[in-house]
Each structure stands twice: as C-alpha cells, then as structure tokens.
Amino acid sequence: MVNYFRPEWTCGRMDDKAQATIVYNNITGVCYFFEDYSALVVGEVIALRRNESIDLETISQRLNIAIESITPFFQELENLGIVSSVKPNADIIANYRRQVSQHNIKQSQKVERTTQEKLPYAITNAEQMYTDKVGGITSVMFELTYNCSEKCIHCYNIGATRNDDEQSGRGDRTELGLDDYKHVIDDLYNQGLIKVCLSGGDPFSKPFVWDIIQYLYNKDIAFDIFTNGQRIVNDMDRLASYYPRTVGVSIYSGLPEVHDFITRVPGSWEKSMRVIKRLAELSVPLNLKCCIMRPNVKSYYMVADIAKQYGAVHQFEVSLTDSIEGDKCVSKYLRMTPEQLEIVLRDDNIPLYVGIEAPNYGGQAKPMDESPCGAGNHSLCITPEGNVIPCCAFHTLFGSLKTNSIDEIIAKSKELHYWRGIRLKDYDECGQHEYCDYCNLCPGNNFVEHGSPLKASEVNCYMAKTRHQLAMKLKHGEDPIEGKTVREKLAELPDYIPMSIHRVLSNNFSDMRLKVGG
C-alpha cells in the first residue's frame, strides 16, 4: 500500500456539522471543496500536522469506508497536490515549485484565448460553495496600517497625500497590537474563518506583520496579501515559505517612469518587478493589480504582458474611487475621460468589458429582491484601529474592537443586522434605470459621497452611463476603436501631461454609523 503525507503547502478546515471541507493547494493557487463522505476523508488529512504521514487503514476503520474506495480517491488527491506519496523535503518542494512555475508560464503563453473565453462570467468557486454550505464569517480583511512605502496619487485610504507639500495623516491612528490580532483571529476562527486578506497601506509597513503571518500559518488559515513589494525585496523566499494563497502586487505600467510617477517613489517599479520575478520563480500565486487612469491609460496593457511572462494573473480596475475621507481629486484629475474609457472598455482583458460577444453587450439585469453587495454577510473588514466595517471601500461602523469583541459586534450590532437585510429595491434610485444594468454597484461609493449606501453616487453612475452609452453605440454599428486594435487606438491618444494633484475636499462620512431604517 502506498504511503501518503499531508504536504506543508496545504491548509484548510472541515466543518463537522455541515460535513464540508475546503482545502487549499497554495503552490498551484487552487482550492477544492468536498462534501459528505469525501469531506470526512479529506478532513482526516488536514487534521494532521504538515508533512505528517497518513494512515489509510486508520481512516478506513474510523470512517467505516472500505479501503478499496479510499485508495483510488487518494490517487486523485495526489494529482491535485493535496497529498503527497513522498515526504516533502526542501528538494521535493523546490522541484514542485519549479514544475508549477513552468506550467503557469506555459499556460499563460499559449495561443491567445478568444474574447468569449475571457468574458468575466460569474462562476461558483470552492470558497463560495463552502460558505454557502457552512455559513458564518468565512473571510476577513485586515487593513493592518495605512502607512505605506509608496505615495500613490490615487490612494483612497484615510490620510493619503496627493503631492509632497501635503502632510500625511496615514499614521494618525492608535493601531491594534499583535495580541489584539491573535484574539480576533481566534474569535473569527470560531465564527467559521477560512481566509484572511492582509492589506493596508502596505502590510509590510506593520512591524509585526510576520508574526501575524506565522499565526495564520499555524492555525491553517489561508491568507492573501496585497503589497507593493517595496519592503520585501530581501524577503521573498521567507514569504514563500508560509505559502500565501495569493500575493497581489501593485504595478501600473510596463514603463518604469509611468509607474514611478503614480507611486511618487523613484525606483519603485524596479523593486516591484524584482519581487514579481522571484515570487513567480517560487510559484507563489500572483495577481498583478493595476488601476487604470489618465497617467497610465496608454501603457496599462503592458501589465497583462508582464503577467503573461511570469505566469501571473492580471487584475485591471477601471472604476476608480474617491478617497474614503471625501477627497474627490481622483474623479476630478485622474479618472479616465469618456473617450479614454470607451476605448479601454473594448479591451477584453477588462472585467467590465463591453462588446458584441457579451450577453447584452456586457449589461446584466440586477435582481431587485437581492442584495447587490455581499460585504458584511460572510465577510468583514477591520481597520488599523479596530473598527469593524463591511469592506475597505465602505467605511460605515458596525462596532469597535477596542470596546467590544468581534462575537459581540456580529451578534448585537443593529447596524450590521440592518445592512444585511437591505435589498436593491430599498435603494433610492439604483436599479431603476436602463443604464443600471451596466453598473458595478458599490454601496461604499454611495456612502462616501452621501453618507448613505442607498443613494446613487456619481462615481458609480459615471461608469454605468459610459458603459451603457458604449453598448448602444455598438448595437448601432458604431465602435470607438474603428476596426483597430485597442493598443493601436490607445497610441493615438494625446500623451498625458504630468501635473500636480491636490485635494478636493467634500463631506467626510468615514466611520459614521448607518441610520437604521433610513
């Protein structure tokens, strides 16, 4: 009989009551959902210590499942990288990383996929299936700090500056300590937690971020980390040894001068690229995150080329948001013009793509009896000072960890329970216009602008109306790229003229509580 081991690159958990198990292979970046008897078997595996041997006969006896049924199942698990028939050591792990890295690059550089294959249809993934089966809070984002080693001109975090004459307010908060995070991780685990996202600012600006990573690793909790990479240029191998589920690295162009203009840190592109290259070699799952705006509209697509080179996933964002604290400089100075946006929206690498191949040219009707946003239901966000909010873009206060436990906030916050009951039909205007089918509705944008998630924001409507207008043009045979490629059309745009950007302040509703019932 073949001996198997639980490899150190896996993590996950089982819910006994629901008979559901989720397992992550954090080298391939894929997670798997199991239920019923298969969940029980895999649950026995992840209950073991990393690299511990698996006794199939013991599992067979304990679960009363014939060994003849378990054996072929373990062969399938080995193909998925969930178990290993050899005990992992440094050489085996390095070889596995190398194989996966080469496979990722090969897949990225295959013949270009068709537009139809790229369309961002919603799919049910393992995490969603597990959450639907188990319930509870399964995902949380820790905004560890708003301090950052870059000074991006479009940053929406509280305290961010727009030019070197402004004084940063990023550090003007009494942040949570390491023991606070350990306690809240333990409490959230009891609520059903399976995944944490570490964000900021830059999480590596937090002195004890490595202690948090170690704590998550020890508890078998999957974690994502969003970073610019500036502070880990000498620690990529260390990060890889904790097997993050995903590392998101911000990169804004293939042109260093464009990227560095946006970050306002000379040499930042070179450091970020060093991190991307090394993490790709180690087969750490990578997302290259790029916000598209006027300064990089002519070169953003190069990020997709970089992703292809390193077997990473590119993640473009076209709907820029204004600052959480009411600074509207992004929509005034940086947001793409309608002309620019229409060209970019014809790029089928963009999640909000508009094209004749997409159903209704990219529009999608919104069910009025459902919530348009899942934030606050099975996921939460915690700010640096311990405020519990729906998500990083929606700063309404459900409670503070400095005065209440996470369990108390989840159980007793009237604002949280009110928010969970809101449906699209409760919104003042959203969902009632033809162009609403083209809206990627963000209640956080509504809240930033009006102090209420139920009032339509200009930021959301700008995107919806532009996408709708483009769809109508295509429907009548008019295409803004005029038979050219998107890249050719972008090249015809005027070059961006660098300018000094300053705050454009309006109302600040950050961390204000929802008005329950209205």
Side-chain angles (χ1 to χ4, degrees):
M1 183 180 298
V2 178
N3 291 322
Y4 289 100
F5 301 84
R6 184 218 155 166
E8 64 181 63
W9 55 78
T10 61
C11 68
R13 73 178 297 178
M14 174 185 174
D15 186 282
D16 293 312
K17 184 177 180 180
Q19 286 197 356
T21 300
I22 188 166
V23 180
Y24 294 84
N25 179 333
N26 291 316
I27 288 183
T28 62
V30 181
C31 61
Y32 303 92
F33 170 70
F34 300 92
E35 54 187 339
D36 303 326
Y37 283 111
S38 63
L40 298 177
V41 174
V42 178
E44 292 284 329
V45 173
I46 61 172
L48 300 171
R49 295 188 302 273
R50 291 182 173 90
N51 296 338
E52 186 176 356
S53 63
I54 302 167
D55 189 331
L56 298 191
E57 290 186 353
T58 298
I59 294 176
S60 172
Q61 293 170 6
R62 184 177 295 150
L63 300 179
N64 195 27
I65 301 175
I67 193 73
E68 292 79 12
S69 298
I70 290 179
T71 301
F73 182 54
F74 267 78
Q75 293 171 351
E76 295 178 23
L77 294 180
E78 182 173 24
N79 292 334
L80 301 177
I82 295 174
V83 301
S84 174
S85 58
V86 291
K87 187 173 184 177
N89 58 32
D91 290 338
I92 290 171
I93 294 169
N95 184 57
Y96 186 38
R97 288 188 188 277
R98 187 162 47 250
Q99 290 176 356
V100 173
S101 177
Q102 292 171 352
H103 173 78
N104 290 343
I105 294 172
K106 184 177 180 180
Q107 288 297 111
S108 294
Q109 296 178 351
K110 284 177 63 176
V111 176
E112 190 72 21
R113 293 178 298 159
T114 66
T115 296
Q116 189 70 25
E117 291 173 321
K118 291 182 181 179
L119 291 178
Y121 294 120
I123 59 173
T124 302
N125 58 31
E127 290 175 335
Q128 187 62 56
M129 289 188 288
Y130 180 85
T131 297
D132 290 343
K133 183 90 171 182
V134 172
I137 300 296
T138 56
S139 175
V140 67
M141 172 180 280
F142 291 142
E143 292 187 304
L144 295 179
T145 181
Y146 292 145
N147 290 318
C148 190
S149 48
E150 293 181 340
K151 303 176 289 186
C152 295
I153 53 178
H154 64 291
C155 181
Y156 60 68
N157 279 339
I158 295 172
T161 59
R162 309 303 168 192
N163 58 66
D164 291 337
D165 294 327
E166 295 176 352
Q167 183 175 355
S168 172
R170 288 179 178 272
D172 296 346
R173 298 193 162 203
T174 303
E175 298 180 350
L176 297 178
L178 177 59
D179 287 342
D180 297 318
Y181 280 105
K182 289 181 177 179
H183 289 146
V184 75
I185 289 169
D186 290 344
D187 289 344
L188 284 165
Y189 190 83
N190 293 334
Q191 291 278 346
L193 184 68
I194 59 172
K195 181 182 70 174
V196 167
C197 177
L198 302 176
S199 183
D202 184 71
F204 291 101
S205 295
K206 190 75 169 179
F208 52 76
V209 62
W210 291 105
D211 297 288
I212 295 176
I213 290 172
Q214 179 74 60
Y215 199 72
L216 294 170
Y217 181 75
N218 290 345
K219 288 187 73 73
D220 254 354
I221 297 173
F223 72 94
D224 299 337
I225 192 157
F226 296 164
T227 180
N228 54 45
Q230 301 300 295
R231 293 182 182 271
I232 58 169
V233 290
N234 298 315
D235 287 315
M236 287 93 83
D237 289 54
R238 181 184 182 185
L239 179 58
S241 71
Y242 288 107
Y243 300 101
R245 171 188 173 273
T246 302
V247 176
V249 181
S250 300
I251 194 87
Y252 300 113
S253 173
L255 303 176
E257 63 272 19
V258 174
H259 175 92
D260 291 358
F261 173 81
I262 291 172
T263 66
R264 293 195 290 137
V265 175
S268 59
W269 185 90
E270 190 274 334
K271 284 186 177 179
S272 293
M273 287 303 303
R274 281 171 58 190
V275 169
I276 290 167
K277 180 179 180 181
R278 180 55 183 161
L279 291 181
E281 290 173 350
L282 294 168
S283 190
V284 173
L286 281 171
N287 276 0
L288 306 191
K289 301 163 70 67
C290 176
C291 293
I292 306 174
M293 60 196 97
R294 294 179 199 177
N296 67 344
V297 68
K298 296 187 67 173
S299 61
Y300 77 86
Y301 60 84
M302 295 178 179
V303 175
D305 297 337
I306 294 171
K308 180 180 292 188
Q309 179 181 356
Y310 292 107
V313 175
H314 57 264
Q315 184 177 338
F316 291 122
E317 178 59 69
V318 294
S319 186
L320 270 66
T321 60
D322 282 317
S323 166
I324 297 300
E325 58 187 338
D327 178 3
K328 297 181 69 65
C329 77
V330 168
S331 56
K332 180 173 182 178
Y333 296 115
L334 297 174
R335 185 172 66 187
M336 286 181 281
T337 65
E339 177 191 13
Q340 294 170 334
L341 184 54
E342 284 193 350
I343 297 171
V344 172
L345 288 172
R346 293 291 289 121
D347 182 350
D348 56 13
N349 283 312
I350 302 297
L352 296 182
Y353 169 77
V354 177
I356 59 175
E357 307 89 347
N360 197 24
Y361 296 87
Q364 186 174 8
K366 308 292 192 297
M368 299 299 288
D369 288 325
E370 297 181 9
S371 171
C373 175
N377 289 293
H378 299 292
S379 64
L380 291 168
C381 178
I382 297 173
T383 69
E385 72 273 39
N387 289 341
V388 180
I389 60 177
C391 82
C392 60
F394 188 1
H395 272 243
T396 187
L397 184 65
F398 292 149
S400 171
L401 294 175
K402 291 183 177 178
T403 56
N404 297 98
S405 70
I406 191 71
D407 293 342
E408 291 172 330
I409 293 170
I410 292 172
K412 298 178 180 180
S413 171
K414 60 181 184 297
E415 292 86 4
L416 173 57
H417 289 279
Y418 166 68
W419 167 245
R420 286 176 169 177
I422 289 176
R423 299 295 178 260
L424 184 56
K425 64 185 179 183
D426 300 315
Y427 284 61
D428 292 349
E429 190 177 358
C430 297
Q432 300 177 26
H433 305 279
E434 186 177 359
Y435 60 79
C436 290
D437 288 355
Y438 296 83
C439 182
N440 186 33
L441 178 56
C442 174
N445 287 339
N446 290 356
F447 186 78
V448 165
E449 190 167 326
H450 301 293
S452 168
L454 307 183
K455 296 182 179 180
S457 74
E458 187 275 339
V459 170
N460 288 341
C461 291
Y462 177 81
M463 180 59 62
K465 291 175 180 178
T466 304
R467 293 184 73 224
H468 176 254
Q469 178 178 310
L470 175 56
M472 294 304 99
K473 287 182 178 179
L474 294 175
K475 186 176 181 179
H476 293 95
E478 180 183 352
D479 190 339
I481 63 175
E482 300 173 323
K484 303 175 183 177
T485 67
V486 169
R487 299 186 182 195
E488 289 170 342
K489 195 64 181 177
L490 290 172
E492 296 176 359
L493 293 173
D495 290 338
Y496 175 76
I497 300 175
M499 60 183 297
S500 178
I501 299 167
H502 58 269
R503 293 173 182 263
V504 181
L505 295 180
S506 60
N507 295 316
N508 184 355
F509 300 111
S510 60
D511 300 327
M512 185 182 78
R513 291 182 180 269
L514 293 178
K515 183 180 178 181
V516 176

